[in-house]
Amino acid sequence: MEELTGLTASAAGGGLFGLVGTALGRIANHLDRRSAQRHETRRWAHEIKRVELDLQSAIETANAERERAAEEGRWAGLEASLAAEAAIAPSYRWVDAIRALTRPVLTILLWLIATIVFFSSDNAGRAAIVDTATFAATAATLWWFGDRGPSQRAR
């Protein structure tokens, strides 16, 4: 009987030790999976952040390229305008006089429009309209008169 009791105690002890080992294995497996999930979550968060930064960089590059193209277009338009102005041959004196008066008259009219708009508009609409009119008048003044140095052609 003592043998049977020893055998039963050994089986119960081995079974209990096996259950504890299984439980410890499952706990370790669960902790390992949680750690792997946290690692994957961090990795994907890092990947999402990298993709967002790449996208932001691409947007900024596209905006800079668009702005550069617009600026090049403006300079090309100015160059074409100046070339067209330079290509005009001298004509009759009265035609040259009228052509010479066009810029000053237009400039005075632009500044007059800017002044009228400023004093006749309400506060809400004034900013955008006056800014635009002032921009146009200033650009006209500087561009139209900035290239009017002494002429080299004889009259």
Side-chain angles (χ1 to χ4, degrees):
M1 176 82 137
E2 203 174 293
E3 279 185 33
L4 187 58
T5 305
L7 184 62
T8 305
S10 293
L16 186 59
F17 191 73
L19 284 175
V20 169
T22 300
L24 288 176
R26 288 195 181 208
I27 290 171
N29 189 19
H30 174 72
L31 293 175
D32 190 40
R33 276 186 303 192
R34 262 187 36 194
S35 175
Q37 284 176 340
R38 277 195 303 265
H39 174 72
E40 280 296 308
T41 302
R42 281 192 298 255
R43 187 175 77 83
W44 281 107
H46 174 71
E47 187 69 19
I48 289 170
K49 184 69 173 171
R50 188 188 63 77
V51 169
E52 287 173 348
L53 290 174
D54 287 346
L55 181 61
Q56 184 65 31
S57 174
I59 289 170
E60 289 174 4
T61 301
N63 286 340
E65 182 63 28
R66 181 179 44 82
E67 188 63 34
R68 186 189 61 78
E71 189 68 27
E72 284 179 1
R74 286 191 288 269
W75 281 110
L78 176 61
E79 288 174 2
S81 176
L82 292 175
E85 178 76 20
I88 297 175
S91 183
Y92 297 105
R93 285 179 101 39
W94 67 271
V95 172
D96 287 339
I98 291 175
R99 190 181 311 138
L101 284 175
T102 302
R103 289 178 179 183
V105 169
L106 287 176
T107 302
I108 290 168
L109 286 175
L110 277 170
W111 282 109
L112 182 65
I113 290 169
T115 303
I116 289 170
V117 166
F118 180 79
F119 287 112
S120 66
S121 63
D122 62 348
N123 285 337
R126 181 177 290 163
I129 295 170
V130 171
D131 286 348
T132 303
T134 303
F135 172 81
T138 305
T141 302
L142 294 177
W143 175 44
W144 288 345
F145 295 106
D147 68 330
R148 293 184 67 97
S151 178
Q152 299 298 326
R153 61 183 185 206
R155 299 222 177 202

